Structure formats: structure tokens, C-alpha cells
Amino acid sequence: MFRTALRNVLAHKARLLMTVLAVMLGVAFVSGTLVFTDTLGNALRNQSAKSYDDVAVAVTSYADQRDEKTPGITAATLKKIQGLDGVDTATGRVSGFAGVADPDGKLIGNGWSNTGGNYSPGKNGKDSAYTFVDGTGPVAADRIALDQETARRGEYHVGDRVRVATNGPVKEYTLSGVFTTEDGAVNAGGSLVLFDTEVAQKLYLRPGVFRDANVSAAPGVSAEKLLAGVKPLLPKDAQAKTGQALADDQAKRIEDGLSGLNGMLLAFAGIALFVGVFLIANTFTMLVAQRTKELALMRAVGASRRQVKRSVLLEAAVVGLIASVIGFALGLGLATGLRSAMGLFGGKIPAGPLIISPTAVIAALAVGVLITVLAAWLPARRAAKIPPVAAMSSVHATATVKSLVLRNSIGAVLTLLGGAAIVAGAAKSGSTGRTVIAVGAFLTLIGVIVLIPLLSRPVIALVRPLLKRLFGVSGKLAAQNAVRNPRRTGATASALAIGLTLVTGISVLGVTLGQAVDRMTTDNIKADYMVTMASGGPLDESALTALQKADGVSAISPQQATSLRVKEDYHSASAVTPGDVQKLFALTTLSGSIDALDKGEIAVDEKTAKSNGWKTGDTLRVKFDDDKMGELKVGAVFEGNEMLSPVLVPKNVTDAHGSMSDIREIWLKMDGGATKANEQALVKALGDNPAMSIMDRQDIRDMFGGSVNLAMNIMYGLLAMALIIAVLGVINTLAMSVFERQQEIGMLRAIGLDRRRVKRMIRLEAVVISLFGAVVGVVLGMFLGWAIGQTLSSDIPEYALVIPWDRIAVFLVLAGVVGVLAALWPARSAAKLNMLTAIKTE
């Protein structure tokens, strides 16, 4: 039987090609994901471990430039550590944001990973953390050093003047050297600027104070011994760990961070393989049908049902193994491509080999073989039931009434249970509701797949008159052929339905969220511009002062984060400019007046006022950031604005209490609105600072909606694999169908159906099957999109369901195009059949 299985594989190479492609693509996705995440994790762990190679003990504090209560690590403390027995060196570190301008004045890097730090030479005049490839480290106040990639992108050489922005005004420095580093921020697409230690301390902390320290051990001294000596010398806000412990912690964080990416990619690989199941099952069902006489003969000469079944499963296992081996090789290429593609998103994987773990190899091969064998199990079972007396009849014997009732009843129950679960999940909010919806979606998909053969007849019957009217005999025959074998049509349409369900659901959800975000920005903002730090950090007070003096500014207010403690509860607040804030934001007053901010009173949004029992005119006993008590009167209650904190406080009130300058945004309204001239006036006022981002309303919309669009595009890209496999299924079904119907096609040719109409018949059949699957998928996708959206609606005030009819129309058109393209080869094969030879075909 094993030889028989091998012979059948070799005899049907062309017919098994689509199955091989489907399994190959799915396995490539699985193996590529595993190899890519293993490679990425290994490279990041090695990089992390390398950065701690010379660190026996690492000291970390929470010192903050804006909070002098956190002392940090003083020079005196560092000197005590240096004096411990067994200490080789003790190096103080301080760091913060530093952005480098390119020759055009634009920021090099992505903002959030642009960092600056101190160059701390040891006894030999070098800092062991950095290897210089040109020049030397900065040892003067007007000197800096740059990492090699930043210097290359900025076209900077030693001796050039470089503009560097921190949280304050832009300054120019002379480039003293270029270095290489294993710093994670640089590998993430950012930049690293090294300053002289005293300069870095003034920029990021306080003179003579460090945030962190790295301690190296003398030969023969253990890290644990040094750790025991260092701990008693540290201030209460600092902690110490061995370098090995920190490397292990970092490795664990890397592993946890990659698990989410790994899970997402494997989920899409699972979807692709699930879609491939229908293609594989269809292929083996048709192959078994074509070998009915052969299998009956085997039974007649003594083969048992178990042997026939085993033969078909062995055939599937061989096909799965071949496809898995090819898919694994393709997956290695995919992993390499993903690694290179990270550079397009501003990231860079540290150097290292491609990691091919035994787990990846075994998982990829096992998945491919197992999926193929499972998909072939039902056809194999049917093959085993063929009686020895069977001759020409197909294995697709007419199903009994009992079997059809059982199948349709199971499908109906699963669909109803799944639909009920989806509706129940939609009634809940948060992750609990989405979990219920996920279970319901799975049951509904399975139920609909079971029912699809039943649905195909009435649905396709609706379009049969239209096909006959438009395309004559070809259209009539195409509609009849599409429902001739409902199970085969259903299996083919199911693959497309699954893909379109996910794509449509994502589109409904994405467009709905995108428009909610768009309404949120449009309805809540009156300002022309928003100014932020590219790093996402706070703006310096000097930026607000500079913008207040800019030409054309008619209203300006910071959004300065602060908090107020009322009784035992802390309330998030925004310090704003009275008189201007109402010109910059859409504030609907429910009681009192926003103008009360001019009198030193506060404004509270409706939700906060209601939950705390506050009303206009109430006087609140408040504790400020400086721990001093005071009284603030509620001057207004307003409808919540998503761009502002629940409590608005006059900026002069918070400034009087020494509030930390945590200006996240500065909002401006300009004479004449958002124009190129006005934007240039703001750029000039900020001193051409590359680290400050100036956004108009459209930029703000794009910023908030960009993540939604990016997520949708990633999802579309990942689901493309499943859709490609679904298309292969349509091609496979038509090709096998043409082979089965050679005699019939020959008869049609003989009675006058010319080649052109034969081609049209096959193409229309493909279009009908594709559109049927697409319609089912679109309906289910809209239902799921609505349900998931309902679980998010409570967290998004502007949420309202939007059905993207234009995209849905495109999906349906593309499904029709898929049908036409998928039918090219089968239609051409059918048209080329010799009618006399075809008529004689058994």
C-alpha cells in the first residue's frame, strides 16, 4: 500500500500542485515566524548581555531634574564606591533626550529613541562603553561625539559644527569623534550623542549628580561580593543589581515582548493553514472520485477498508512532507526578508546568525504533515467505503436524506450558538466581551461552513436568470455547474468566505475607529497648531515663552499636566491659559462660565463633577504638588473634551505652587489660520529646533488615526496569505472539475458550443463561486465588525458604526476578478480539448 501511495503521488503531480502550494505557504509562514522571532530574540539578548560584559554591579536611581527630592548618585557616593575593595572602576551615567539636526534642519532618527549621555573616560583616557572609529571623546563643554550611523545620515565629519536639541534651545557643538555602540536606542533607529560629563549633568540632572552607575570588578572579585559592599552606600531611592541579573532581566523582558509578536504571526499562519484545509480536502476528494474504479478493484483483490484508507492517508503524508520541506526552506527566506524589512521601519537588528532551532524545524514539518493528513482523512474514509462492485460511479454518491438532515442540523445549531455568543459578547465591554465574541465567531464560521452547501443552491439560483439573460447558454450552464456538486462548491467558497470575513471585519472596525478619532479631533479642537517634543517628553518653559512672542499668535495655551488632591483622591488636571483655552478648544459649558478661570477658579468636566458630587460654586480643599493646602472654587462644569484633562486649572495658580513644568503640548491659534507663513513664524520662534514638532489639524488627525491605518494595513498584508491560498483553491477546483467533465465538454462542443463559449462558461462558474464565498464573508465580517466595535464604544465617546460600502464594493469586485483570473488556465484547458477524444474519455 505504501508503494501504491507513492505511485499515486507521482501519477498525479500536476493535480497535487495546488495542495503542495497551499501547505508550502502555510508552513513557510509558521517556520518564518519561528525562525525570525528566535533570531531577533537571540540578537537582542546577545546585545543586552554584551552591554553588561564589563559590569559587575549596576546602580539605578530615579533622580529627576524637576524633582530635587530625589538625590540621585552624587560624586561623593561614587567616590565611596570607587574606594571599595575589589572595585576596578565606578562610572557614573546620566542621560536624556538629544536630537541631532541633519543638513536640512530635520531630526535624524525617530524622536522617542534619540538619546544623549555623558562620556566618562577612565584612567586610560577612554570610556569602555564606546569604541571610536574616528576622533576622540568629548572632553570640553563645546564638544560632542556621535554614533556612526547618525554621523553617516547627517553627513558629519570630525571638526564639523552640529546642531543638537535637548529639552531647551538648540545649541551648536563641534564634533570631536564618531563611535560604534551596542546601545539599544541606536539599533531601534534612534541616535546617541555623547557630551562632556559636566555638560550632560547640567542638561539632564544637576551638577555633580548621576542617575546611574556601572561598577566593574578587579580580577578574581565576585559580583556578589561587590554588590554587598555597594548597597549600604546608596541613597534610599537607588537600587543595585549584578550585571548578570540585569542581563537576565533584560532577556526575560525581550522574551515577553516577542511572545506577543510571535503569537500574532502564528495566529495568521493558523488562519492560512485553516483555509488550506478546504483546498486539500477538495483535492483528495476529487482524486478519490477519479480513482473509484481503481480503488474498487483493489478491494476486489483483497485490500481491506483499513488498507485503502491508509493508502490515501499515506499519499497525503507524502504530499505534506514534500510541501513542508519546501515550505520550511521558503520560511528561512521569509525570516531573512523580515529581518531586512525592519530597516524600513527605522529599526535594526543587531548582527548575529540566523537561528534555526530544532523546535522550529519539528513544528514546521509536523504542522504541514498533520494538516495535510487531517484534511485528507474524510476523503480517505469515503474511499474506504467504496464497495468492491463499484465501477464507474463517483465516490460522491447521492447523500442520504438522513445524512443531509444531520449535517444541516449540526450547521444550524453551531451557527445559532455562535450568533448568540457574538450578540452576548457585544452587550459586554472590554476584553471579556471580545473573548466571548471570539468564541462565537469560531462557532459561527464552522456552522456557516457546514451550511454553505445548503446555502449555495438558493443563493446561486437568484443570479441564474441574470447569467442566462446576459451570457446565454454559457451563463445557464455556469450556474448549473456551480451547484452540481454543492459540497465541492461549498468547500471552495468557504476558503474565500473565511478570508473575506476577516478582511471585512477589520475594515468595518478600522474605518469606524478612524472616523471616531477624526471626529474627536475635529469636534474638540479649534486651534490651528499643536507643538510637541518629537521624543514625546515634556516641553521646556522657554518654548512657551518663545511662542508667545511669535508673530501672528492670537491665542496660546499649554496643556501642562498636573494633579490636585481633594480629600484622599488625586485628580488629573491641565494647567491652561485663562481667556485663551476657550479659543483653542471646543468647550460646551453646562453651568457657570469658562471665563471663571480668569478669577483663579477651576473648571471640571461633567463626569468628574457628577462622580464627586461637585457643582458650580463649590469650594474645594486642595493639596498642590508642593504639598501645600489651598482652596479652589468650581467656576464651571463643561462637557468632557478628549483633548483635555477632566480638571482645568489656571496656569498661574499651579506655577505659584512650584508645579513641575510638565508641558506636553502647546496649542496655538494664528491670525489667518494654518498657513505656510504662520508655520514658518513658529519654526523661527523656536529657533529652528528639529526636536520640536509643529502640527496643524490635518497632522493631528493623521497622528491619532495613523496607528489605526497602520494596524489595518498590517492585517491586510498578513491575511493576504490566506486569500492567496483561497484563490489556489478556486483554480484547483476548476481544473479538477474540467478534468472530470471532459466527456461532457466534448459533447457540448459536438452539439455546437464553440471554444469561446466554453471558456466563458468556465470563467462564469469561477466568478459565481468566488462571489458566493465573498458575499457570505462580507455579511459575516460586517456582523463581527459591529460586535467588536460595541465592546469598544464605551471607551470611545465619538464611536458610531460606519459601514465602508466603498471598500466592500471593492472586495466584491476583486472577488469577481479573482474568479476570472483563477479560471484562465482551466478555461483554456477546457477550450483546447479535442471533442472526439473527450467524448471517448471514461
Side-chain angles (χ1 to χ4, degrees), residues 585-599:
F585 299 95
L587 295 173
T588 302
T589 307
L590 301 176
S591 63
S593 172
I594 296 294
D595 293 336
L597 291 169
D598 285 316
K599 306 173 188 175

Side-chain angles (χ1 to χ4, degrees), residues 751-765:
I751 61 175
L753 196 69
D754 59 21
R755 289 184 174 182
R756 181 172 58 85
R757 284 189 287 180
V758 168
K759 285 184 178 179
R760 183 185 299 165
M761 176 185 72
I762 301 298
R763 283 197 295 265
L764 288 174
E765 184 180 345

Side-chain angles (χ1 to χ4, degrees), residues 234-295:
L234 300 180
K236 63 179 181 180
D237 74 318
Q239 62 178 4
K241 286 187 176 182
T242 64
Q244 184 59 53
L246 285 175
D248 292 342
D249 289 346
Q250 185 69 15
K252 182 66 169 61
R253 285 194 293 271
I254 289 169
E255 184 178 340
D256 292 342
L258 289 175
S259 64
L261 173 64
N262 199 37
M264 183 185 72
L265 292 175
L266 287 177
F268 283 97
I271 292 169
L273 288 168
F274 184 55
V275 171
V277 165
F278 297 98
L279 189 158
I280 299 164
N282 245 358
T283 300
F284 279 94
T285 297
M286 289 185 281
L287 285 176
V288 168
Q290 291 163 13
R291 288 158 45 199
T292 301
K293 192 172 183 179
E294 174 191 329
L295 293 171

Side-chain angles (χ1 to χ4, degrees), residues 404-405 407-412 447-461 483 485-491 772:
L404 289 174
V405 169
R407 176 192 177 104
N408 295 333
S409 298
I410 292 172
V448 169
I449 288 167
V450 173
L451 285 176
I452 269 185
L454 176 68
L455 296 173
S456 63
R457 288 187 181 276
V459 173
I460 294 175
V483 293
N485 193 327
R487 285 184 175 179
R488 183 186 301 170
T489 297
F772 171 57

Side-chain angles (χ1 to χ4, degrees), residues 530-535 539 666 686 689-695 699 703:
M530 178 179 74
V531 177
T532 61
M533 286 294 292
S535 63
L539 289 153
I666 298 175
L686 292 170
N689 193 324
M692 292 187 185
S693 175
I694 301 172
M695 292 182 279
D699 294 330
M703 178 184 71

Side-chain angles (χ1 to χ4, degrees), residues 51-211:
S51 65
Y52 291 110
D53 275 351
D54 298 324
V55 178
V57 175
V59 180
T60 303
S61 77
Y62 301 95
D64 193 310
Q65 187 177 34
R66 297 166 297 161
D67 184 8
E68 294 190 5
K69 296 176 184 176
T70 52
I73 302 164
T74 63
T77 300
L78 195 65
K79 190 173 182 179
K80 289 178 183 178
I81 295 173
Q82 178 67 68
L84 289 173
D85 289 338
V87 171
D88 184 23
T89 60
T91 306
R93 298 293 183 192
V94 62
S95 61
F97 170 76
V100 180
D102 66 14
D104 296 324
K106 303 296 183 182
L107 182 69
I108 298 175
N110 49 32
W112 59 268
S113 59
N114 289 352
T115 57
N118 64 304
Y119 178 72
S120 183
K123 299 173 183 177
N124 60 358
K126 296 180 180 180
D127 190 328
S128 60
Y130 311 104
T131 302
F132 279 80
V133 295
D134 192 14
T136 60
V139 289
D142 65 338
R143 302 297 175 95
I144 61 165
L146 294 177
D147 69 270
Q148 191 173 28
E149 179 63 15
T150 301
R152 184 192 65 78
R153 292 166 66 181
E155 300 178 3
Y156 291 122
H157 302 91
V158 173
D160 289 348
R161 298 289 286 176
V162 182
R163 297 176 70 245
V164 180
T166 52
N167 286 344
V170 179
K171 294 182 180 179
E172 279 199 355
Y173 299 86
T174 299
L175 183 61
S176 67
V178 177
F179 59 88
T180 58
T181 178
E182 292 296 326
D183 189 280
V186 175
N187 284 309
S191 62
L192 178 59
V193 182
L194 295 181
F195 300 92
D196 175 68
T197 294
E198 291 184 6
V199 173
Q201 287 175 327
K202 290 176 183 176
L203 285 172
Y204 300 126
L205 209 50
R206 292 179 292 279
V209 178
F210 298 96
R211 183 175 289 118

